[in-house]
Amino acid sequence: MASLHIVPGGPFSALRALGLVAVMTSLLSGAVAGSAVAATDDERESPRVSAAVGPVGVVVVAANHKMYAFLDRLSDNAPVAGGTVTIKAGKHELTLKETAPGVYRSGAFEPTVGHTPLTVSIKTALSSGQMVADLVVEPNAPAQTVETRLRPLWYGLGVLAVSGLGFLAWRSRRRPLPPLAGTTGTA
């Protein structure tokens, strides 16, 4: 009975195996590197400025599409209630309303990316005055979605599929078979 002999690929099979391992490793490392997540808006610190106007400390924060001002006494950090706060930011003039003792909130306001000069005027029973500050707003990095995190994986799977099809096409090409044992060679 004739036996089928598999002809080894010689020294090129080791190179092909090494190439396949290299491609698989690069695909896996690309998928892992693509899964890094950018900081979301909730994790970012809101832009803020702080200063003192006499014995009153003022902290101005831009968050949730509004401006907030926190007033407290510098001596004991007690909230300063019953004051009025006005913020001039570029072309906008915002009058903040007191929502809690020492906490003042504006209407809708979206600061522009970059440096925004602010003029904050306060009037309280303790002191009155103005402070000038520069509000620095950093640009938001686009939040990564599942699609953008998985994109390298899909690209890698596509390259792997095309490589696999190329390998199968190469393996299925017609090669002359060695003569079977016990036959005379030519037909």
Side-chain angles (χ1 to χ4, degrees):
M1 182 164 219
S3 65
L4 180 64
H5 296 290
I6 298 176
V7 179
F12 294 111
S13 4
L15 289 176
R16 277 189 243 123
L18 182 63
L20 184 61
V21 168
V23 167
M24 295 289 282
T25 304
S26 67
L27 291 176
L28 290 176
S29 66
V32 171
S35 66
V37 179
T40 63
D41 289 339
D42 296 336
E43 297 170 353
R44 294 178 56 111
E45 184 175 311
S46 298
R48 65 191 68 218
V49 295
S50 62
V53 177
V56 178
V58 180
V59 177
V60 177
V61 179
N64 302 325
H65 307 288
K66 296 182 184 338
M67 293 287 274
Y68 296 89
F70 301 92
L71 304 180
D72 62 355
R73 286 193 308 242
L74 292 175
S75 60
D76 61 357
N77 289 341
V80 176
T84 59
V85 179
T86 306
I87 298 177
K88 185 169 181 182
K91 298 177 183 176
H92 303 284
E93 186 160 336
L94 306 168
T95 302
L96 283 68
K97 296 181 180 173
E98 188 170 15
T99 57
V103 179
Y104 299 83
R105 181 180 66 198
S106 74
F109 175 74
E110 188 66 37
T112 58
V113 174
H115 296 270
T116 304
L118 299 179
T119 303
V120 181
S121 302
I122 65 166
K123 292 179 186 172
T124 65
L126 295 175
S127 91
S128 296
Q130 286 185 343
M131 71 174 227
V132 178
D134 210 19
L135 183 70
V136 179
V137 179
E138 299 292 327
N140 284 340
Q144 284 197 336
T145 61
V146 173
E147 178 187 331
T148 58
R149 287 190 311 230
L150 292 179
R151 187 173 292 152
L153 178 64
W154 289 114
Y155 287 153
L157 288 175
V159 168
L160 185 63
V162 169
S163 300
L165 288 173
F167 176 73
L168 289 175
W170 178 79
R171 289 287 291 171
S172 67
R173 73 182 195 278
R174 295 196 176 261
R175 288 185 239 164
L177 294 176
L180 296 176
T183 62
T184 61
T186 61

